[in-house]
Amino acid sequence: MKAIQITEPRVMKVVEMDRPICGTSEVLLKIEYVGFCGSDLNTYRGLNTMAKPHVIPGHEIGAEIIGMGPDVPPTLRKGMKVTVNPYTNCGVCSACRSRRYNACEHNETLGVQRDGAMREYIALPWQKIIPVGDLSTDHAALIEPMSVGFHAVSRAQAVDTDVVMIIGCGMVGVGAVIRSLLRGAKVIACDVDDHKLEIVKRLGADFTINAKKENVHERLMELTDSMGPNIVIEAVGSPQTYQMAVNEVAFCGRVICIGYSKQDVEFTTKYFVQKELDIRGSRNALPEDFDGVIRYLKKYNPPYEVLTSGIVSPEDAEEAMKQWDADPAKVFRILVKFA
């Protein structure tokens, strides 16, 4: 079978592999679509220190069940369209004992610490398979990154009286925008790319701010009666956006951190105390976050055409990644089609 492998920094190849054999408690999937995400881009660049050597990337999955082991429950059947929860959990660490499996100390994510789904077939434990009903598999491949944004809003405990600022409007940020709106919050989206801001505006964001063209602080003061947003979700992972989150959040507000900064971040720590801030990490997603995204997609049928930058074949994946590497702001989501 075909697979895509990152063999060294900025080198991606299509290789041949044996088709996997389904274990007794596993489901065999025919991969139809897989999305490239920011962690895949960092692996391609040689910057992802968590990625195993010569990794097969990919954990944003739309697939069909074509086989299963004898211990798989009858709720999963051949022909079902599915996505995948791509995170492992050990079951014994502090996070797992708290039933926060998404933050397992020993997590290994598909396409990072273990080989991912950029291949024609994959066998996975049945517990990680998530049926998507009548959603198409290209749409199913968008569920995982959106679920990460959904989870961040849960971590923020956002409600309808909140003003939520989302910094970064990639697919994770889109998920945060959508779930904040579903909870009735007022949403301010911030990015440096007008195209991404147009997308979140179309999805319902109340206000947008282009941080390259506008004074973010002054604009926030106008929109929040000079108080600032009481929730800020950081979905970029840069020193500047982390500092912005702490500086701009309202007194007694909540800062939710999703992005991984590749550099150390310096803070004016007096704001932590003076504002009495809650600063919370948000990692991956829980099953209920996946379920929330699936319900949203089925009920609201968002404009999928703006959520995908392009669909490419495995043979064209390296060229697509080169273009993304050269100009990250111009790419929203790339899907690789194996079907």
Side-chain angles (χ1 to χ4, degrees):
M1 67 173 182
K2 286 180 185 177
I4 294 172
Q5 190 176 45
I6 298 173
T7 56
E8 58 184 283
R10 290 185 165 84
V11 178
M12 181 183 288
K13 296 181 178 179
V14 177
V15 298
E16 284 292 326
M17 299 180 63
D18 292 336
R19 179 169 161 170
I21 298 172
C22 195
T24 58
S25 297
E26 290 185 325
V27 172
L28 182 63
L29 301 181
K30 183 179 186 297
I31 299 296
E32 297 189 354
Y33 293 90
V34 185
F36 275 128
C37 79
S39 65
D40 298 323
L41 177 59
N42 282 326
T43 301
Y44 176 75
R45 289 170 163 172
L47 301 176
N48 190 346
T49 58
M50 294 185 290
K52 70 186 287 284
H54 306 291
V55 71
I56 297 171
H59 57 255
E60 303 174 359
I61 300 166
E64 179 184 341
I65 296 176
I66 62 168
M68 59 197 66
D71 295 339
V72 175
T75 50
L76 296 174
R77 301 179 300 278
K78 288 183 181 180
M80 290 181 103
K81 305 296 185 182
V82 300
T83 191
V84 172
N85 182 329
Y87 325 117
T88 64
N89 56 281
C90 69
V92 296
C93 72
S94 176
C96 288
R97 289 184 181 188
S98 300
R99 303 182 68 82
R100 290 167 67 174
Y101 306 111
N102 60 298
C104 174
E105 181 180 354
H106 307 290
N107 166 65
E108 292 186 349
T109 299
L110 282 173
V112 185
Q113 296 94 339
R114 58 194 174 117
D115 283 333
M118 287 279 177
R119 42 180 150 167
E120 292 182 278
Y121 301 93
I122 191 171
L124 294 168
W126 69 263
Q127 295 92 338
K128 298 298 181 181
I129 307 303
I130 303 173
V132 300
D134 59 359
L135 288 178
S136 62
T137 49
D138 56 334
H139 297 166
L142 305 178
I143 292 170
E144 189 275 340
M146 290 179 68
S147 74
V148 176
F150 269 48
H151 183 68
V153 176
S154 292
R155 291 284 291 142
Q157 297 175 302
V159 297
D160 56 0
T161 55
D162 285 320
V163 178
V164 182
M165 177 187 184
I166 290 107
I167 306 175
C169 297
M171 189 63 77
V172 171
V174 161
V177 167
I178 289 168
R179 192 165 225 183
S180 298
L181 291 168
L182 290 173
R183 292 190 172 199
K186 179 179 177 180
V187 174
I188 303 169
C190 181
D191 202 282
V192 296
D193 183 74
D194 283 331
H195 176 62
K196 291 179 180 177
L197 292 172
E198 283 298 320
I199 290 173
V200 293
K201 188 72 173 177
R202 185 171 172 183
L203 291 169
D206 297 285
F207 302 99
T208 60
I209 301 173
N210 187 316
K212 272 189 175 180
K213 300 177 179 179
E214 301 174 75
N215 185 306
V216 174
H217 177 73
E218 290 181 359
R219 185 74 173 126
L220 287 173
M221 292 301 97
E222 292 173 4
L223 297 174
T224 63
D225 295 326
S226 298
M227 289 188 291
N230 59 307
I231 294 172
V232 177
I233 297 175
E234 198 287 335
V236 176
S238 75
Q240 294 82 5
T241 52
Y242 264 89
Q243 291 161 352
M244 180 190 294
V246 171
N247 293 347
E248 300 300 344
V249 71
F251 274 65
C252 298
R254 303 186 288 285
V255 176
I256 311 301
C257 307
I258 308 175
Y260 284 90
S261 176
K262 309 302 181 296
Q263 303 164 273
D264 291 340
V265 183
E266 293 185 1
F267 290 107
T268 305
T269 55
K270 69 176 183 179
Y271 289 147
F272 294 13
V273 178
Q274 286 182 347
K275 292 185 177 183
E276 200 174 53
L277 299 181
D278 289 338
I279 300 177
R280 305 175 183 178
S282 182
R283 182 183 179 193
N284 300 331
L286 286 165
E288 51 262 38
D289 301 309
F290 283 84
D291 292 343
V293 175
I294 292 169
R295 287 195 298 271
Y296 165 77
L297 295 178
K298 289 181 177 180
K299 183 174 181 179
Y300 292 96
N301 190 31
Y304 290 104
E305 69 277 5
V306 302
L307 298 178
T308 304
S309 302
I311 298 175
V312 301
S313 69
E315 291 76 14
D316 293 330
E318 183 176 27
E319 182 58 33
M321 187 63 87
K322 286 180 179 178
Q323 293 177 13
W324 191 14
D325 181 28
D327 195 352
K330 296 299 181 184
V331 174
F332 194 75
R333 212 17 138 248
I334 300 169
L335 297 183
V336 179
K337 181 179 180 180
F338 285 87

